[in-house]
Structures are given as C-alpha cells and as structure tokens.
Amino acid sequence: MGAHCPQPRIYVALDSARQVRIQALLDQLDPSLCGIKIGKEAFTALGPAVVEMARQRGFPVFLDLKFHDIPNTVHQACRAAVDLDVSLINVHASGGRRMLAAAREAIAPAPGAPALIAVTVLTSMEDADLAEVGVTDGAAQQVARLAGLVAGEGLDGVVCSALEATEMRQVFPGRRGVIVTPGVRPAGSAPDDQRRVLTPAAAIQAGASSLVIGRPITGAQSPGDALREIVASL
Ligand code: C5P
C-alpha cells in the first residue's frame, strides 16, 4: 500500500447520461464536502468532458470504470485515467495478479497520485451466480481470496458492501487503506433497489473510509441540503 491523494468522506454518484442534469447537480453540491463518482453511464455518454466539468468546480473525482482486460490494456487505461486528474480509480480484481500489477505500475504510489482500488465480487452476484461462472467456493470466500490478491499487488483498497467493510479493513489497515462502500442510506430514506444497507455513520464505524451515495442526494428536493445533513450525521 503506497501513498495516495486524500480521499473525500463521500463520493456522490452522478448516475446520468444527461449533461444538463449533471451540471445542475454539480452546481448544487459543495466541493469541500464531497467528491463525485463518474461511472460507465455518464462516461460513455459524455466522455472525459464530464470529468472536466467536475474538476473545474474543484470536486475530487472517482472514475468508476472498473477496468478488466489484458494487463497491457489496463495499464494504458490507467495511464489515461491519471491524465484526467482523478482521485480514485478502480479495476476488477478477477482480472488476476498480472493485471493488478500492471495497473499498480501505471499508477505509481505518490502523495498526489490517485488511489487505486479493486472490486472483488460484484454485490449483485450471489453464490448461485458465482457457481454458474465456475466459482464454487461462495461469495464470502471469493471476496477474501481476491482481497488478498489485491493487497499482495500493493493496491490501496477495495470497493465493497458496507457489511464487508470491517473484514476488508483488516486487509487494508490504517490511514492509507481505502475502503469504499456503496449501499448506504440515511435513516428513514428509501432503500431503492439496494438490499442490505447501513447508515452513513454505521458504514464509517464499520471501517469504510469513503461512502458512495447516489439517490438519497441526487433525488432529494435539495441535493445540497441532503449532502450537508449526511455530513453532519458522521
Ligand atoms: O443511488 P445509490 O446510492 O444506490 O447509488 C449507489 C452507487 O454505487 C451507484 O452508482 C451504483 O452503481 C454503485 N454501486 C452499488 N453497489 C455496488 C457497487 C456499486 O450501489 N456493489
């Protein structure tokens, strides 16, 4: 685990393909209180311009593209992501040891460098889904196995369910360990399609270093107020 740039407590997920919608949300959020997570939908529709929109306003950016390819391609993709001046980049741990090493090599640990983390098992996969793709050990064991591989290659942490945060914190201890958890809901807010949720404070308590929160903020009457209330709850 190397050095990396500081991470915001909250990354707001801007899951939209519409530039005007993203612009409006960015205008309502305070870059001193959160970063912005840009995923496949927004990036595919709008390209690097959407990252620049957030960076221009001073938001740290989590580029959530979950790279998973041959080592050389992932290396080059990570280099391109570094050039976008983002704070957090992720890859799929199931790409294997050489792919993880290639990503790490592309993003050398340094105090100003983006943090590099991995997805272990998608939380949408249950044991039966894993068995269908040949992983018969079950999700819990596969998460532990892949987290070990990720740590072994010197990556900074993982994206995981808040319910796995405590276990993942053991693998990536200390201030530099980056444990990023979605599936977070403030008390009383709608779970939407999330199944097992923790409150923001409980997720941090469990070991998360940054939370990914979308609809409770982006769907609120006032996204700025919703963000401030969540920050106050931590
Ligand atoms: O709106 P909501 O707070 O549920 O958004 C959560 C964000 O985190 C979405 O961008 C979703 O794709 C992402 N995510 C997730 N669960 C995972 C991995 C990513 O909800 N296991």
Side-chain angles (χ1 to χ4, degrees):
M1 240 178 295
H4 53 75
C5 67
Q7 298 294 311
R9 266 289 191 233
I10 297 174
Y11 280 105
V12 179
L14 296 191
D15 293 315
S16 172
R18 292 174 45 232
Q19 184 168 341
V20 284
R21 161 89 174 139
I22 289 180
Q23 216 149 18
L25 284 164
L26 291 174
D27 287 341
Q28 294 174 79
L29 298 171
D30 179 347
S32 74
L33 297 182
C34 69
I36 298 297
K37 180 177 90 86
I38 293 167
K40 290 191 172 99
E41 180 184 4
F43 195 82
T44 302
L46 304 169
V50 72
V51 176
E52 280 157 29
M53 279 166 58
R55 292 293 303 123
Q56 270 169 11
R57 291 166 168 81
F59 292 97
V61 170
F62 170 14
L63 190 64
D64 178 22
L65 296 181
K66 301 186 184 74
F67 296 137
H68 187 182
D69 212 311
I70 59 172
N72 180 61
T73 300
V74 168
H75 184 274
Q76 297 302 106
C78 286
R79 292 285 285 272
V82 170
D83 289 344
L84 290 177
D85 193 29
V86 299
S87 295
L88 183 59
I89 294 169
N90 61 0
V91 299
H92 266 288
S94 52
R97 187 185 296 284
R98 283 186 296 116
M99 191 207 79
L100 294 169
R104 182 73 286 182
E105 195 184 283
I107 306 174
L116 174 64
I117 62 176
V119 177
T120 57
V121 176
L122 292 170
T123 52
S124 52
M125 301 284 277
E126 293 179 340
D127 288 0
D129 302 303
L130 287 170
E132 276 185 338
V133 295
V135 177
T136 51
D137 283 339
Q141 205 169 330
Q142 183 70 351
V143 167
R145 173 187 289 133
L146 290 175
L149 199 59
V150 171
E153 292 309 314
L155 275 66
D156 301 305
V158 289
V159 186
C160 65
S161 148
L163 298 153
E164 291 162 358
T166 303
E167 184 191 340
M168 291 297 107
R169 187 43 93 178
Q170 322 273 310
V171 185
F172 300 94
R175 212 164 41 82
R176 285 181 180 166
V178 177
I179 308 294
V180 177
T181 63
V184 171
R185 286 291 179 271
S189 78
D192 304 304
D193 56 351
Q194 298 285 6
R195 287 288 176 269
R196 293 165 302 153
V197 299
L198 288 187
T199 65
I204 298 279
Q205 185 72 28
S209 54
S210 296
L211 313 173
V212 169
I213 308 179
R215 289 161 290 182
I217 293 172
T218 59
Q221 192 88 332
S222 164
D225 288 344
L227 173 62
R228 275 185 290 276
E229 274 169 36
I230 291 172
V231 170
S233 78
L234 295 180

